[in-house]
């Protein structure tokens, strides 16, 4: 029997990109059943319809299921991808604007906004993880792409769940540093600390040799402009923080 993947938050605008990634890499990850679950049936119909057209265009042989039943989505799933937003965009707007009135950072992963989002999100993700442990396939993975990823992942791991967190900043830095070093991204290995959006690159190795000291010495100004941070701070840290 092949792989079943359930996407919790399948009505998200991130879903088409996810679908494209799956179908492009189907030789590496053959999927028999892909289930998009969302509590918003209207969004699910729109995004799910686009997903179906992408898959049909690429002649994907698997089965795509759209459902508002979470049990149906998770039953037997090998991977449960969580990309939800508790409270929707209205809650995000509050997280990112209210702290500014008090001189604090307005962000959905750090500061007061990130903490507020964590308070709303962690209980829901833990519930999904518990459901996955009971109804998913044996040794099923929870793959979290829901912010604040760092706090959510800490909660998942503290509760003993089989989970992994996704952060695209590492890949972005890998490609950026490869460009500065005029080499292929595949040759660049990062010593990456943290998850969205609180990360540091502490080493940039090419063929096993750390090139970060050279990059900071030569390109601190350009790196600072790229991430919106003073070059002197990068030199002081001897590391490259996320934006």
């Amino acid at each position: 029997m092949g792989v079943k993947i359930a996407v919790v938050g399948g009505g998200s605008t991130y879903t088409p990109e996810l679908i494209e990634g799956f179908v492009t890499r189907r030789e590496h990850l053959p999927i028999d059943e892909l289930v998009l679950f969302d509590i918003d049936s209207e969004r699910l119909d729109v995004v799910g319809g686009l997903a179906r057209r992408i898959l049909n265009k690429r002649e994907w042989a698997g089965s795509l299921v759209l459902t508002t039943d979470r049990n149906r989505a998770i039953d037997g799933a090998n991977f449960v991808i969580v990309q939800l937003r508790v409270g929707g965009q209205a809650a995000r707007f509050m997280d990112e604007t209210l702290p500014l009135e008090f001189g604090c950072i307005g962000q959905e992963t750090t500061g007061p906004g990130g903490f507020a989002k964590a308070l709303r999100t962690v209980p829901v993700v833990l519930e999904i993880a518990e459901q996955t442990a009971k109804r998913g396939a044996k040794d099923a993975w929870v793959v979290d792409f829901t912010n604040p990823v760092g706090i959510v992942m800490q909660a998942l791991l503290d509760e003993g769940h089989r989970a992994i967190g996704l952060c695209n900043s590492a890949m972005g830095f890998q490609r950026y540093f490869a460009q500065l070093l005029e080499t292929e991204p595949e040759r660049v290995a990062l010593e990456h600390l943290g998850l969205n959006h609180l990360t540091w690159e502490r080493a940039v190795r090419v063929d096993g040799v750390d090139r970060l000291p050279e990059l900071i010495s030569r390109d601190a100004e350009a790196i600072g402009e790229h991430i919106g941070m003073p070059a002197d701070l990068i030199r002081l840290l001897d590391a490259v923080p996320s934006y």
Side-chain angles (χ1 to χ4, degrees):
M1 186 174 179
V3 172
K4 174 180 177 179
I5 294 180
V7 181
V8 177
S12 165
T13 52
Y14 285 102
T15 297
E17 186 177 5
L18 186 64
I19 296 295
E20 183 70 19
F22 283 148
V23 75
T24 300
R25 295 162 179 81
R26 56 186 150 185
E27 292 184 3
H28 302 288
L29 181 64
I31 303 171
D32 281 356
E33 184 177 6
L34 178 60
V35 184
L36 304 183
F37 159 76
D38 207 290
I39 60 174
D40 188 328
S41 59
E42 185 175 356
R43 286 179 64 99
L44 182 62
D45 287 343
V46 172
V47 174
L50 176 57
R52 194 178 300 281
R53 292 193 292 276
I54 292 172
L55 294 173
N56 289 341
K57 178 73 174 180
R58 300 290 293 274
E59 297 181 343
W60 184 65
S63 171
L64 176 67
V65 176
L66 311 182
T67 183
T68 56
D69 182 346
R70 196 166 74 187
N71 286 336
R72 167 67 181 88
I74 291 177
D75 280 347
N78 302 95
F79 299 93
V80 177
I81 300 175
V82 185
Q83 53 172 29
L84 52 81
R85 184 180 297 282
V86 180
Q89 294 293 352
R92 180 179 186 178
F93 178 80
M94 187 66 71
D95 291 341
E96 297 189 351
T97 58
L98 183 60
L100 300 177
E101 298 181 17
F102 300 92
C104 297
I105 187 172
Q107 234 275 356
E108 70 166 355
T109 56
T110 56
F115 186 66
K117 191 173 193 298
L119 291 175
R120 296 192 305 270
T121 304
V122 166
V124 177
V125 175
L126 287 179
E127 182 181 306
I128 292 167
E130 290 164 5
Q131 190 175 16
T132 300
K134 293 176 182 177
R135 307 186 68 114
K138 182 182 178 182
D139 296 329
W141 282 94
V142 174
V143 182
D144 182 65
F145 199 41
T146 293
N147 279 324
V149 175
I151 300 175
V152 172
M153 279 306 305
Q154 189 67 59
L156 285 166
L157 297 178
D158 284 350
E159 291 297 315
H161 291 293
R162 187 177 171 87
I164 188 168
L166 297 183
C167 176
N168 59 354
S169 64
M171 181 177 291
F173 271 125
Q174 181 196 42
R175 293 173 179 175
Y176 176 66
F177 291 141
Q179 182 182 2
L180 291 178
L181 293 168
E182 298 181 347
T183 189
E184 298 78 23
E186 293 77 16
R187 294 179 62 199
V188 178
L190 303 179
E191 184 177 313
H192 178 88
L193 176 69
L195 286 168
N196 314 29
H197 294 130
L198 193 63
T199 69
W200 293 264
E201 308 306 329
R202 302 198 301 184
V204 179
R205 297 187 176 91
V206 179
D207 299 333
V209 178
D210 184 11
R211 304 284 296 275
L212 183 58
E214 171 193 339
L215 284 168
I216 292 177
S217 175
R218 186 189 71 193
D219 297 311
E221 298 291 342
I223 295 171
E225 184 175 347
H226 179 70
I227 63 175
M229 192 164 291
D232 285 343
L233 180 57
I234 294 172
R235 296 188 186 100
L236 178 66
L237 292 171
D238 200 26
V240 179
S242 63
Y243 64 89

